[in-house]
Amino acid sequence: MPDSLTRSFSNPPAALLERRFDLPDEDATLAFGGRFAQAILQVRLKYSSTPNERFPGLQVQLIGDLGAGKTTLVRATLRALGHAGRVRSPTYTLVEPYSLATETGPLELYHFDLYRFADPAEWADAGFREYFDAGAICLVEWPQRAGGLLGVPDLEFTLEQEGEGRVLIARAFSETGKSCLESC
Ligand code: ADP
Ligand code: MG
């Protein structure tokens, strides 16, 4: 498959870390979401204990066909971060924002679904760029639709069907992403 269909960025740098997770059923995906949520909080906490360093935020690209389990994983992550309400798939709105009150302080999380994203001008008009620069967690479904606008993510999660279950290949492209993935 050409890279442009599986990635939002061309000439991918080598991953700093790659891990594979077998997710034989939905419960396994929910459990992974729980570990991922804890990993996010841990990596953020590291920054708060270092003077003059701010948590740069985390961009996670979620790759996989319709039904691969991208939204399920986002939902599980949000639940584990304390979100009790509904998690809508932002298919038409492109982004759904969450302000979370976690055990280690407030956290902004943006859930993108760019499946219907067509016009790169919309990117600037909607102010999406700012979401990625504000110490927030950005979880992006269908990042390929944004072309090169997203740049290289901290983490890339690829979900694929395997029998009745799924397999998740996770790659880290930054130190923040790597620390996060190490504790998943
Ligand atoms: P996507 O956002 O990738 O289109 P969804 O999360 O909306 O996919 O849907 C995934 C479907 O697969 C849901 O019906 C969910 O119950 C199921 N599912 C999620 N994770 C697993 C898994 N690890 N094994 C089997 N089924 C799963
Ligand atoms: Mg989805």
Side-chain angles (χ1 to χ4, degrees):
M1 205 185 286
D3 227 32
S4 61
L5 294 181
T6 55
R7 289 229 156 98
S8 75
F9 50 100
S10 50
N11 302 320
L16 302 179
L17 178 65
E18 177 169 325
R19 291 183 71 188
R20 179 199 156 101
F21 300 90
D22 286 304
L23 307 172
D25 53 29
E26 187 168 347
D27 281 350
T29 299
L30 301 182
F32 180 83
R35 296 200 303 277
F36 180 47
Q38 285 311 312
I40 290 172
L41 294 180
Q42 254 179 47
V43 83
R44 186 175 67 151
L45 213 51
K46 265 195 210 164
Y47 279 90
S48 65
S49 57
T50 319
N52 304 321
E53 286 241 34
R54 265 186 77 234
F55 176 55
L58 197 71
Q59 184 200 135
V60 187
Q61 299 192 356
L62 300 165
I63 318 273
D65 291 337
L66 283 173
K70 303 180 294 299
T71 302
T72 304
L73 178 53
V74 172
R75 196 170 281 133
T77 306
L78 277 164
R79 290 267 178 276
L81 288 170
H83 176 70
R86 280 194 60 187
V87 174
R88 284 187 196 82
S89 197
T91 314
Y92 294 95
T93 53
L94 297 181
V95 64
E96 201 67 53
Y98 297 88
S99 291
L100 305 161
T102 77
E103 54 212 59
T104 51
L107 180 69
E108 301 299 318
L109 187 150
Y110 299 99
H111 176 201
F112 289 87
D113 184 337
L114 303 180
Y115 190 70
R116 286 167 201 282
F117 182 74
D119 181 6
E122 199 178 348
W123 192 259
D125 294 348
F128 285 164
R129 180 77 262 152
E130 289 141 47
Y131 295 144
F132 290 86
D133 296 331
I137 310 299
C138 292
L139 308 179
V140 189
E141 297 186 43
W142 295 101
Q144 308 94 305
R145 297 286 203 264
L149 288 167
L150 289 165
V152 177
D154 298 285
L155 287 168
E156 177 192 76
F157 288 172
T158 302
L159 283 155
E160 277 171 29
Q161 184 106 23
E162 194 179 67
E164 295 292 298
R166 308 288 186 270
V167 58
L168 167 62
I169 306 290
R171 294 188 186 89
F173 294 102
S174 72
E175 286 302 328
T176 316
K178 184 175 170 227
S179 330
C180 187
L181 186 53
E182 276 167 347
S183 48
C184 284

